[in-house]
Amino acid sequence: NDIINNEPYSASSKSVPINFVENITLVKTVDPDTVICGGLVNYTYVVSNPGTINVTSINLTDDVLGNITLNGTNTATPPANGTYISGDDGDNVLNPGESWIFNVTDHYISSSVTNWGNVTGIGNVTKKLLWSKDDAHVAVTYLSINGTKFEDKNSKGTRDPGDPGLENWTIVLTF
């Protein structure tokens, strides 16, 4: 029976609403979020389907690092070594409640950057393009070394008042 009108239900005379949600989300994080110039950071991307319908044709990109695909390859220049971590049950379809995790290591951080991850997919029912994006910020710090070459008159290893600075010296640091 029709719940609203208490009449016998006929598939030919009634339409039945079907409630479904097509959705995709992206959460991007970075660790560490502060590095020394030239340092190493790890970006983690979590692609999820909080909806009720399968999502296919997943495409994950980063505006700085390039394409990050299910098989762990990536087109960043220089390569950023993208890696698929976990989540897919093997069917290459982002099922409802499923989350796929990807990791990208970037070795070439030379200045502070905010970069965006973007994920797209196709909803299995409407065939419309679904998308989500998220960003992560890395702050870069720079090291500096300064000092003065001086004559240590009392050989204590520290500069005392009266210890003169020495000019025209070149100091070479090796690390």
Side-chain angles (χ1 to χ4, degrees), residues 72-112:
T73 62
N74 158 334
T75 60
T77 306
N81 301 320
T83 305
Y84 164 75
I85 303 297
S86 66
D88 186 28
D89 61 8
D91 63 0
N92 215 15
V93 173
L94 188 60
N95 302 312
E98 200 169 63
S99 294
W100 296 352
I101 302 170
F102 301 85
N103 181 268
V104 175
T105 301
D106 192 1
H107 301 268
Y108 305 100
I109 305 296
S110 60
S111 61
S112 295

Side-chain angles (χ1 to χ4, degrees), residues 124-144:
N124 219 31
V125 172
T126 64
K127 304 300 183 202
K128 72 179 181 178
L129 181 67
L130 308 172
W131 65 273
S132 180
K133 66 180 182 177
D134 197 14
D135 69 335
H137 179 75
V138 178
V140 173
T141 58
Y142 301 91
L143 298 177
S144 65

Side-chain angles (χ1 to χ4, degrees), residues 28 45 61-66 113-118:
K28 178 180 178 183
Y45 305 80
T61 61
D62 186 289
D63 69 336
V64 173
L65 302 174
V113 63
T114 298
N115 57 332
W116 288 87
N118 185 58

Side-chain angles (χ1 to χ4, degrees), residues 52-83:
T52 58
I53 301 296
N54 290 343
V55 179
T56 59
S57 303
I58 306 301
N59 185 33
L60 177 60
T61 61
D62 186 289
D63 69 336
V64 173
L65 302 174
N67 293 322
I68 305 160
T69 60
L70 181 62
N71 65 8
T73 62
N74 158 334
T75 60
T77 306
N81 301 320
T83 305

Side-chain angles (χ1 to χ4, degrees), residues 11-27:
S12 62
S13 65
K14 301 283 182 182
S15 62
V16 178
I18 298 175
N19 294 321
F20 63 88
V21 176
E22 292 179 319
N23 200 358
I24 194 169
T25 62
L26 174 64
V27 174

